[in-house]
Amino acid sequence: MKTMWLLLLWGVALPVFAGEGKWTPQQVLELDPAWLKAQGLKLPPQRLWDPKRGTGLLAGTVNVGGCSGAFISSSGLVITNHHCVFSIVQEHSSPQRDLISQGFLAQNREAELPGKGARILVPRAFTDVTKEVRAAVPAGADDLVRFKAIERQQKELVAGCEKRPATRCQVASFDGGSQYVLVDSVELADVRLVYAPPRAVGEFGGEEDNWMWPRHTGDFAIVRAYTAPDGSAAQYSEKNVPHKAEFFFPLAPQGVKPGDFVMVLGYPGISFRGLLAEEMADRQARYYPRVIDVYGESIRVLEEEGAKDAAGKIAVASTLKSLHNRAKNASGQLAGLARGRIVEKQREAEAAVVRWAEKRPAHVGALRAREDLLTGLKEEARTWDREFLLGNLRAGARGVTLAATLAQLARERVKPDMEREPEFMERELVRLKDQFEREQKNLFVPAEKRLLQAFVRRAQALGPGERIAAVDKHFGPTFSEKAVAAKADAMYGATKVLTLNERMAMFQESEAQLQARQDPLLAFGLDLATELTALDEVKDRREGARQRLRPEWRRAVLAHAGKPVAPDANGTLRVTFAKVQGYSPRDGVFYTPQTTLSGVLAKHTDAEPFDVPEKVLASAQAKRFGPWADAALKDVPVDFLADADTTGGNSGSPTVNGKGELVGVNFDRVWENVANDFGYNPDVARNVNVDVRYVLWMLDQVENAEGLLRELGVRKGPSVTGEGR
Ligand code: ASP
């Protein structure tokens, strides 16, 4: 009966724009099936998601360390982005065997390369726990108590859920606390690299092409998940066997053409469409410009220092890549917010809700909630600069972050597990330890020192109400280039935090042991940690207020909308419905939605980031297309655009056709669409995908990966289960 009502209520109300909405699996069933069919969905929506079992084809979409990915065979093969499994390639690369430049193809199963710390999460169940979470808040709780009660309840739900072996759970909050869902996933911990293209394919165009169109990047890689012989998830072992995937997406060798319907499935991380206009304006006025400024300074330092030293250049490469990505994203957000008049539009939309709610007694509480959210925003402004600096330590010297984290860990570990900050609970420590080990390859002392100086200079410039006491204590209250440089030299000269085995020993030590080391960087870290913890409490209280206020406001927004509204991204499984199509980025220009191998050749310059590898060049120049050319393009398609509603975290998302077959792999958005995090604009909302035919062309015409092609079912012959490659 309830479902009936939902269908009647929502069945006629369609999304405003076809592509808009990162729908939850449950919501897919609330959309009008006739509308979905008209869009191009050839499967009954229940095939995508069976509410009784709480699973379906959507569950073939997996989480790969914060990226997305998809099973593409019943024997555990997963396709994702090259940049998502880059650390496995890096782990097995050496100057003698440079897999990063050359790429890697496992000639048989034994040759597949295990990835240390690589994990794949396969969704198993989603349970609404809103009632349980709400009930945990004691009557009359103040905002900090509210936050802590909700956090505690989340931890307990997670602990209960994780009693099952090899299970990873999370309580996800939707619409600012309007709904809470317990997400239960199987954690596959034996993940092995099967294929990675050369970096010059996987990252073709580098930073220059990042967030842009036209694009010619082969940003894909293939891994395989393994389990114990009885099918249960297990750590790496030679005895393990390929994971039997219940749901997977077969490849569609015919690919796509303009106008085709596609779905992009994945784990979008965060978006901000549910924010108030003023909250958006705040991010526009303050947050993104500061990211560009602070991250930009770090980029300059790393580039300058890297240029002086070959090993240093390698060490800073991965940090540089992520800083560039964030900084360019921030510029894209600003450009898009201005171009799309997104804040202004949100103001108008909000005013309409306010007018509507004023006339409805059931929603007057929303008006008050909105006012209180705005007051909170103003209060935050007073210490914003300080909090930005402390909240973005990772953009600076890594040694400082390591030292502060060691201090926090030592202080948290003495508490009962349930009372620790979530990131220091037992369930996180294996990951944290891995990270502490892996960090070694990113450390480069000359760059570290300069980044520390930059941080200190910014901290010393803060106003009287925003001082960072740890900086004042260790570096004095005013900036002197010479004094700070000398102090940074002394700290890095004496510290053991950057020495791997010492750091791993510190990882286990108590606060007293850390103090006793009299390590100057650790001493700074210990003082900084005190401030980070105090700041956490301030932030928790604020978040408690938002948890009280936001649901009230959002209830009015949703009621006013009178149709299904997809919640903001929160790292949980979503699907977006889209069409392959180009767009006009500006007056007089139209971008077609497909690029080709000829385009790769046209960009080739012999120099990074447009240096096409020899073996790719040879096949492309000889026009050895095999069966992978597109009839209309008369060429092998490389990348394509669709109007799917994606964001960061959707990297590696399977892009599938109406029958649920893989036609591409999502890896980016276009420049004009970076600000879709704040609002969907159908004119420029385009995501960028690698065409499945480029994947197949690479495997076939460049790599001769016969066994893999057979396993993927696109080449006749024995072996569809990964045997005998
Ligand atoms: N490149 C992004 C990612 O890494 C995808 C996007 O932002 O559209 O998830």
Side-chain angles (χ1 to χ4, degrees), residues 220-290:
F220 75 97
I222 298 173
V223 295
R224 191 194 301 278
Y226 280 78
T227 61
D230 66 0
S232 62
Q235 297 295 320
Y236 172 84
S237 156
E238 275 179 17
K239 295 201 194 82
N240 283 354
V241 298
H243 169 70
K244 287 204 169 41
E246 182 184 359
F247 299 100
F248 69 95
F249 305 95
L251 270 48
Q254 76 280 10
V256 279
K257 55 181 187 325
D260 279 359
F261 169 78
V262 291
M263 299 179 272
V264 179
L265 287 49
Y267 295 84
I270 187 165
S271 62
F272 308 103
R273 292 180 196 169
L275 291 188
L276 297 173
E278 289 318 309
E279 292 172 315
M280 290 185 177
D282 190 64
R283 284 187 80 81
Q284 179 179 30
R286 251 198 281 250
Y287 180 74
Y288 294 118
R290 190 60 58 84

Side-chain angles (χ1 to χ4, degrees), residues 332-608:
Q333 301 281 7
L334 287 178
L337 280 161
R339 184 189 323 96
R341 295 183 54 255
I342 293 177
V343 175
E344 290 82 343
K345 284 185 192 154
Q346 186 76 341
R347 259 192 208 117
E348 287 155 23
E350 214 170 290
V353 177
V354 168
R355 285 195 299 274
W356 179 89
E358 274 165 354
K359 292 190 221 104
R360 286 168 177 79
H363 288 288
V364 283
L367 302 173
R368 184 63 205 267
R370 176 174 166 274
E371 288 303 325
D372 288 353
L373 284 167
L374 291 173
T375 309
L377 185 66
K378 275 202 204 104
E379 276 161 18
E380 281 170 43
R382 288 190 287 123
T383 47
W384 193 92
D385 292 305
R386 173 179 196 271
E387 288 177 26
F388 182 92
L389 268 189
L390 288 174
N392 285 275
L393 284 179
R394 74 202 140 113
R398 300 184 99 94
V400 173
T401 308
L402 288 168
T405 310
L406 284 166
Q408 283 178 302
L409 172 62
R411 285 177 189 158
E412 291 291 317
R413 211 184 348 229
V414 293
K415 298 182 189 164
D417 200 33
M418 279 295 187
E419 280 161 36
R420 297 183 197 168
E421 286 298 321
E423 63 271 34
F424 296 108
M425 289 175 72
E426 275 317 305
R427 63 194 284 276
E428 299 294 350
L429 295 190
V430 181
R431 281 174 172 71
L432 191 60
K433 202 167 167 201
D434 273 357
Q435 215 179 305
F436 260 62
E437 248 181 86
R438 276 202 309 256
E439 196 62 302
Q440 197 61 23
K441 64 177 196 304
N442 298 317
L443 299 173
F444 182 49
V445 172
E448 283 284 306
K449 289 186 197 166
R450 282 191 54 197
L451 290 174
L452 173 57
Q453 290 169 44
F455 169 72
V456 171
R457 181 174 41 73
R458 286 181 188 273
Q460 287 174 327
L462 290 171
E466 295 192 88
R467 301 306 296 180
I468 298 176
V471 171
D472 289 347
K473 175 172 161 192
H474 291 264
F475 294 88
T478 44
F479 184 69
S480 138
E481 189 154 354
K482 248 173 127 187
V484 172
K487 181 79 196 180
D489 277 347
M491 269 187 178
Y492 276 98
T495 186
K496 297 275 190 300
V497 171
L498 274 59
T499 312
L500 181 61
N501 57 348
E502 294 280 351
R503 183 167 70 250
M504 296 326 285
M506 292 174 192
F507 195 86
Q508 311 298 341
E509 287 176 3
S510 67
E511 182 177 356
Q513 285 171 309
L514 294 180
Q515 299 272 18
R517 282 176 171 266
Q518 303 202 332
D519 180 306
L521 191 59
L522 261 184
F524 181 46
L526 281 156
D527 288 328
L528 215 45
T530 306
E531 284 178 85
L532 290 171
T533 304
L535 179 57
D536 271 347
E537 190 170 311
V538 173
K539 287 186 170 170
D540 291 350
R541 185 183 291 280
R542 268 187 217 148
E543 186 51 28
R546 284 193 288 255
Q547 286 166 334
R548 172 169 54 82
L549 301 168
R550 184 93 60 198
E552 184 89 40
W553 166 248
R554 292 297 297 167
R555 202 167 59 82
V557 173
L558 298 189
H560 174 255
K563 63 176 193 311
V565 173
D568 265 315
N570 62 355
T572 60
L573 179 57
R574 305 294 177 91
V575 55
T576 129
F577 304 103
K579 280 212 160 26
V580 176
Q581 55 173 322
Y583 73 108
S584 171
R586 56 188 177 276
D587 193 28
V589 179
F590 187 81
Y591 283 156
T592 57
Q594 290 168 295
T595 57
T596 60
L597 257 189
S598 308
V600 174
L601 293 180
K603 276 186 179 172
H604 173 60
T605 58
D606 269 333
E608 267 187 25

Side-chain angles (χ1 to χ4, degrees), residues 5-336:
W5 268 112
L6 280 176
L7 286 181
L8 286 178
L9 188 64
W10 301 132
V12 285
L14 305 178
V16 186
F17 305 116
E20 180 172 8
K22 301 171 178 69
W23 303 103
T24 67
Q26 297 85 331
Q27 278 184 314
V28 169
L29 303 173
E30 295 167 13
L31 294 171
D32 180 4
W35 176 79
L36 284 171
K37 195 168 168 192
Q39 297 300 303
L41 181 65
K42 301 237 161 35
L43 305 168
Q46 290 75 7
R47 278 280 301 287
L48 293 178
W49 198 250
D50 172 351
K52 275 195 228 92
R53 285 190 62 207
T55 188
L57 191 54
L58 290 181
T61 309
V62 295
N63 187 316
V64 187
C67 281
S68 305
F71 285 119
I72 48 171
S73 81
S74 60
S75 50
L77 286 181
V78 168
I79 196 158
T80 182
N81 287 154
H82 177 266
H83 77 262
C84 297
V85 294
F86 185 72
S87 64
I88 312 183
V89 187
Q90 195 176 32
E91 183 187 330
H92 292 277
S93 283
S94 62
Q96 298 74 35
R97 194 181 179 222
D98 183 0
L99 301 182
I100 296 179
S101 314
Q102 283 150 21
F104 172 77
L105 171 67
Q107 292 300 340
N108 51 48
R109 285 245 216 92
E110 289 64 45
E112 294 173 3
L113 300 173
K116 197 169 187 305
R119 286 172 185 87
I120 284 178
L121 298 181
V122 189
R124 181 165 45 198
F126 296 80
T127 316
D128 190 311
V129 290
T130 314
K131 268 207 204 95
E132 289 90 321
V133 172
R134 293 251 167 88
V137 180
D142 74 10
D143 289 333
L144 184 60
V145 172
R146 165 182 301 274
F147 176 86
K148 290 284 178 202
I150 290 177
E151 188 181 68
R152 174 77 185 210
Q153 179 68 349
Q154 289 175 322
K155 287 175 182 170
E156 267 159 20
L157 287 162
V158 166
C161 178
E162 290 183 351
K163 284 215 172 87
R164 270 174 95 169
T167 297
R168 186 86 181 158
C169 302
Q170 158 204 16
V171 175
S173 155
F174 291 76
D175 248 326
S178 305
Q179 192 192 12
Y180 293 91
V181 173
L182 178 66
V183 184
D184 166 2
S185 306
V186 179
E187 183 174 66
L188 300 175
D190 184 351
V191 179
R192 306 182 196 174
L193 186 67
V194 175
Y195 177 69
R199 188 179 201 169
V201 170
E203 271 179 35
F204 187 70
E207 236 358 271
E208 214 167 311
D209 275 6
N210 195 11
W211 306 110
M212 306 299 256
W213 186 258
R215 201 66 171 274
H216 298 83
T217 313
D219 193 352
F220 75 97
I222 298 173
V223 295
R224 191 194 301 278
Y226 280 78
T227 61
D230 66 0
S232 62
Q235 297 295 320
Y236 172 84
S237 156
E238 275 179 17
K239 295 201 194 82
N240 283 354
V241 298
H243 169 70
K244 287 204 169 41
E246 182 184 359
F247 299 100
F248 69 95
F249 305 95
L251 270 48
Q254 76 280 10
V256 279
K257 55 181 187 325
D260 279 359
F261 169 78
V262 291
M263 299 179 272
V264 179
L265 287 49
Y267 295 84
I270 187 165
S271 62
F272 308 103
R273 292 180 196 169
L275 291 188
L276 297 173
E278 289 318 309
E279 292 172 315
M280 290 185 177
D282 190 64
R283 284 187 80 81
Q284 179 179 30
R286 251 198 281 250
Y287 180 74
Y288 294 118
R290 190 60 58 84
V291 167
I292 294 168
D293 174 19
V294 172
Y295 286 50
E297 180 173 17
S298 297
I299 289 170
R300 278 193 304 283
V301 167
L302 293 177
E303 282 179 346
E304 281 168 25
E305 293 303 320
K308 295 182 199 159
D309 181 291
K313 188 168 178 183
I314 295 172
V316 301
S318 124
T319 314
L320 257 181
K321 190 168 142 68
S322 77
L323 291 174
H324 269 301
N325 192 46
R326 292 280 307 265
K328 196 165 174 186
N329 174 289
S331 301
Q333 301 281 7
L334 287 178

